[in-house]
Amino acid sequence: MTIVEALEKYFDKSWHFCLLPDAIASERLAVSNALQAHKFKFLVLKIEDKAELAQYALNSRTILYYHPGKDGEELDAAIVGDAASLTVGSITWKFRKNLSGITPIDISADELKSIHAAGANAYVLKAGVPQTSEGLTANGSYIDFLHGQDWVKANMESGLQQMLADNDKVPSNSVGIDMGVAVLQNVLTQATTNGIVDKNTDGTGAFTVSSKSMDEIPDSDKAKRIYSGLSFEYYPEGAFHELKVSGTVVNS
C-alpha cells in the first residue's frame, strides 16, 4: 500500500495533521496533492532545500517550514505538538515560541521575505526570542483561517449526525427544520467564542443561518427524505501579525 492509498483509506479517521518524516520527495508531493484534492486536513513538512518549495505553491493544505542545516531537529513535529492541541481559533500559528529541541536558523530579513513569498515559514530569533516567523500555508493562505473552516465543517457534520441519531424522528416540517437550524447556530456560536468567527459591534457572532421552507425543497430530495435547505455564512476573525506606527515629535 502506498502512502497516498493509506491516506485515502484512513482519511475519515479523527486526525487533522499529517507528518511524513521518512518519506521521499515524490511521496511528499503526492500526499500534498491528495490533501489538496480533498480541501480538508493538512500536511506539515520540514523543508531543507529552497528549490523544493515551488512545487507546493498551489496547495493550501500543505504547511511548509524551512529549516536547513538542523539535523535531528523535527520542526514540523514540534510545531504540531505545540499548536495543534490548542483551541482552534485561539492562535494564528505565528509567534510559536521556545519550541523544545529546536534552534532558530540564521537568516537575513530579505531571505526570510523570500521564504514567506514562497509560501513557507521559518523558526527565527526575534527580539531575542526563538519563534515561528509566519503562519502561512504553501499557497499563501493563513493556517488559522483554513483550520477554522475545518473546525466548523467537522462540528456541523458531527452535530447534525448526532441530532439525527439522538431523535426517534426528525419530522419533515418546520419543527425538524428548526432542529437543524439550532445545530448550525450552536456550532457558529461556539466558533465565535473560540475566535474563528468575528464579532459584531454588539458582541454577537458575525454569522447568519438560513433555511428554506419545505415548499422550496425539490421533490426529488423530498422523495429521498433529504432536506437540502440549510445554509450559513460567517465572517472569519482575523489577527494582527504586524503593527505599523507613526509618530510626531513636537519641539516645545
Side-chain angles (χ1 to χ4, degrees), residues 229-248:
L230 284 177
S231 61
F232 68 92
E233 178 180 87
Y234 75 82
Y235 291 91
E237 182 179 274
F240 294 131
H241 279 191
E242 183 178 346
L243 299 175
K244 293 185 178 181
V245 179
S246 61
T248 302

Side-chain angles (χ1 to χ4, degrees), residues 26-112:
S26 60
E27 292 172 328
R28 290 146 67 100
L29 182 58
V31 170
S32 175
N33 290 337
L35 286 180
Q36 189 63 27
H38 282 284
K39 292 183 171 58
F40 192 53
K41 304 190 179 186
F42 295 95
L43 171 64
V44 186
L45 295 175
K46 170 189 169 183
I47 302 292
E48 298 194 42
D49 183 358
K50 288 182 186 177
E52 191 180 347
L53 299 177
Q55 62 188 333
Y56 300 103
L58 299 178
N59 291 358
S60 63
R61 291 294 166 168
T62 297
I63 303 170
L64 304 172
Y65 288 97
Y66 179 63
H67 201 61
K70 303 289 184 179
D71 291 343
E73 292 190 3
E74 303 304 335
L75 177 56
D76 48 355
I79 284 287
V80 171
D82 174 77
S85 62
L86 300 177
T87 299
V88 180
S90 68
I91 64 169
T92 72
W93 290 70
K94 188 178 180 180
F95 311 117
R96 304 313 304 163
K97 305 174 187 68
N98 299 314
L99 299 177
S100 179
I102 308 297
T103 54
I105 61 173
D106 185 12
I107 189 172
S108 69
D110 286 342
E111 188 179 5
L112 185 58

